[in-house]
Amino acid sequence: MPKFGRNLTVKGWLKELLMTFLGTTISIVLTFGSATWVERKEADKARRLLAMTIISDIDQSLEVVTKRRLAEERGHETACYIIENKDRLESIPEDTLQMFIDYVTSSSFNSDMEFKTMNENIFISSQDTWRTLNDRKFLNNVQEFYNARAVLEQQWKEWICFKKPVTKEEEYELFMGGQCKSTADLCRKLLECKRLDSYMDFVSSRMMAYLGFLRLINLNEENKFLMNITEQDMEEFVNQTYMEINPAKEKDLVGTWNAVVHDKKNELVYEFRRDHTFAMHQFTCVGTAFFRHKMVQRYWLSGTWGVEGDSLVMHYDMKSYKLDVDDSEISYPAHFADSVRAVKALLEGEMLKPRLVKKLDQNNRTAQATNIDKSGTRMELTDSDKNTIHYQRKINQK
């Protein structure tokens, strides 16, 4: 009979069989063990990522309430100052008068002071979230926070202490009724509101609500402790980006840049020239129930520019400021004529003066952190208040 392979004794055959069995067993253990280890690492990574997402959301909510509390403080102090100096309102700076108007009326809106609820909705509705986190104390802390946030939001919208003293109807009449020719006139009218004193007296109740909520900062610190997440981990998580950027150089900025806007009702354009001068143009379209089509508020500014470090620095020449309100495209019934004139007067006056121009009246120098993308066609500018605007280079320019 022919022999295949090696000529092994029984002892050698058993030894080789054993070695083959051990090799196969070790290979299986290593394969499944490695897979289990990788799965465990991936699960831990997912758990930390989800935990940091929720912790960051809580931190952002705490920041929103901190801004509300500071706005309450500043608004109350400003209102006290306005009341004490009601006989000389014309001599008070416009931005101070506007702060008082924002404090007592409900039309002012700041998205930085609104809660974002997307992450909360994901946390509550997803069973995967609960399985991934797998920490009862952490889950209870998060649920407690979101419950407290919902209560505060309901108080902010419905509690009588938070109700602004000037109603929507009164505000409408003051703003659109043509009764006020200046910001000082408007403030004088607002001071006549009978509910103003009561609103001022409720300041302690509003502050207690904010401060009570802000004590939950300790709860979020416990969350970081439970999940073994450091401040450095959170900073890297918040700042993570895949954007490839280049340091801003003057030659990169020369050209015309259009701010990215969601519609054609607004436009903001900067032209940076090689001689370090610039020109800026902005327009805003305004529509109301009084007329059809849009009334257009346009303004122009110019000045000088340069790059300092990673910032674009501009010095505006306020003497170059020019404002125009174009009502040539609108149409309206004759009985709305007074209201239309009132809208145009507001757009031409100090009350609805462009926000940038109001800031430049105090300081005509701006410095904005500047990033240019790899293609050189997109730019972002971030000011000292962390407001970011993105721009695109005008087509066919470099």
Side-chain angles (χ1 to χ4, degrees):
M1 180 181 290
K3 295 182 179 180
F4 298 96
R6 289 170 292 168
N7 185 16
L8 297 175
T9 64
V10 173
K11 184 177 180 180
W13 180 81
L14 288 173
K15 182 178 180 181
E16 183 155 319
L17 179 63
L18 179 60
M19 293 298 293
T20 303
F21 174 76
L22 287 174
T24 303
T25 303
I26 291 171
S27 176
I28 293 171
V29 169
L30 288 174
T31 300
F32 284 96
S34 297
T36 302
W37 180 81
V38 170
E39 288 177 2
R40 188 178 296 118
K41 291 290 289 184
E42 288 298 318
D44 185 61
K45 183 178 178 181
R47 183 178 68 89
R48 285 177 61 80
L49 181 61
L50 181 56
M52 285 192 286
T53 300
I54 294 172
I55 289 170
S56 177
D57 182 52
I58 293 175
D59 279 341
Q60 290 173 10
S61 294
L62 290 166
E63 185 178 351
V64 166
V65 178
T66 298
K67 289 179 179 179
R68 289 184 185 180
R69 183 185 66 80
L70 292 175
E72 179 68 47
E73 272 186 359
R74 289 194 299 266
H76 187 263
E77 290 172 0
T78 302
C80 291
Y81 176 77
I82 294 294
I83 292 171
E84 291 171 1
N85 295 274
K86 60 184 178 182
D87 295 329
R88 60 177 198 90
L89 294 178
E90 279 73 15
S91 64
I92 296 177
E94 283 287 325
D95 59 339
T96 304
L97 296 176
Q98 187 61 52
M99 191 178 297
F100 170 69
I101 294 170
D102 292 342
Y103 184 64
V104 300
T105 63
S106 56
S107 62
S108 59
F109 175 80
N110 189 336
S111 61
D112 289 344
M113 295 190 188
E114 293 294 317
F115 291 132
K116 308 297 187 294
T117 60
M118 181 181 68
N119 288 324
E120 178 187 0
N121 295 337
I122 293 173
F123 171 79
I124 292 173
S125 61
S126 173
Q127 291 297 320
D128 289 338
T129 297
W130 295 76
R131 285 193 296 268
T132 301
L133 289 169
N134 194 29
D135 188 296
R136 177 57 56 185
K137 179 60 175 173
F138 179 83
L139 292 169
N140 287 341
N141 284 350
V142 175
Q143 190 67 63
E144 179 183 347
F145 180 87
Y146 284 140
N147 287 342
R149 192 175 76 174
V151 170
L152 179 64
E153 186 72 352
Q154 186 174 4
Q155 287 178 331
W156 199 47
K157 291 178 178 179
E158 300 179 9
W159 195 18
I160 192 66
C161 297
F162 284 99
K163 293 292 183 183
K164 294 297 183 81
V166 181
T167 66
K168 290 278 189 181
E169 292 76 14
E170 292 168 335
E171 189 177 347
Y172 180 85
E173 287 300 322
L174 288 171
F175 275 86
M176 309 302 289
Q179 304 176 38
C180 307
K181 304 301 181 184
S182 67
T183 311
D185 281 346
L186 177 58
C187 289
R188 195 170 286 110
K189 286 287 186 181
L190 292 173
L191 288 171
E192 297 174 3
C193 177
K194 296 179 180 179
R195 294 176 292 275
L196 179 59
D197 289 341
S198 297
Y199 184 75
M200 298 281 288
D201 291 339
F202 279 135
V203 64
S204 58
S205 298
R206 294 191 292 273
M207 291 298 290
M208 285 178 62
Y210 290 141
L211 292 172
F213 181 84
L214 289 173
R215 292 192 184 98
L216 293 173
I217 190 172
N218 294 322
L219 183 143
N220 211 29
E221 289 302 309
E222 182 180 40
N223 287 339
K224 296 171 187 176
F225 183 81
L226 290 169
M227 293 294 168
N228 194 28
I229 294 171
T230 66
E231 289 301 323
Q232 183 178 353
D233 292 334
M234 289 305 304
E235 185 176 350
E236 291 175 356
F237 171 78
V238 171
N239 295 327
Q240 66 183 346
T241 178
Y242 299 102
M243 179 176 65
E244 293 188 42
I245 58 174
N246 296 317
K249 298 179 181 178
E250 291 184 350
K251 66 181 181 63
D252 299 323
L253 296 178
V254 173
T256 302
W257 296 86
N258 294 63
V260 178
V261 294
H262 67 283
D263 58 28
K264 298 300 181 183
K265 298 176 183 177
N266 301 277
E267 185 172 80
L268 172 61
V269 180
Y270 278 94
E271 180 190 356
F272 298 110
R273 307 185 183 108
R274 295 186 185 279
D275 63 358
H276 291 91
T277 62
F278 74 85
M280 176 265 228
H281 167 233
Q282 181 168 6
F283 75 77
T284 302
C285 296
V286 178
T288 76
F290 302 130
F291 51 78
R292 295 182 60 196
H293 306 301
K294 304 294 180 181
M295 194 178 293
V296 184
Q297 183 193 55
R298 290 189 176 91
Y299 74 96
W300 297 262
L301 275 167
S302 60
T304 59
W305 70 278
V307 174
E308 297 179 10
D310 64 350
S311 296
L312 170 64
V313 177
M314 290 184 279
H315 291 85
Y316 291 80
D317 177 10
M318 298 311 294
K319 292 181 180 178
S320 70
Y321 172 61
K322 184 172 68 171
L323 175 71
D324 174 68
V325 177
D326 181 4
D327 61 355
S328 60
E329 297 297 319
I330 68 172
S331 60
Y332 51 90
H335 62 277
F336 279 151
D338 289 342
S339 297
V340 172
R341 281 193 290 268
V343 172
K344 186 174 182 180
L346 285 172
L347 293 173
E348 292 175 330
E350 291 292 318
M351 191 182 305
L352 295 185
K353 194 174 185 178
R355 184 179 301 177
L356 174 62
V357 180
K358 288 182 179 180
K359 292 182 67 174
L360 293 173
D361 283 339
Q362 310 300 318
N363 180 7
N364 73 330
R365 179 186 183 275
T366 64
Q368 297 164 288
T370 309
N371 286 321
I372 303 288
D373 76 349
K374 193 173 182 180
S375 70
T377 61
R378 292 179 178 272
M379 171 178 67
E380 67 173 15
L381 299 179
T382 306
D383 62 23
S384 57
D385 295 326
K386 305 301 181 183
N387 299 314
T388 299
I389 300 180
H390 288 87
Y391 296 81
Q392 290 182 335
R393 188 187 293 276
K394 190 174 180 180
I395 299 175
N396 300 327
Q397 280 207 342
K398 176 66 181 172

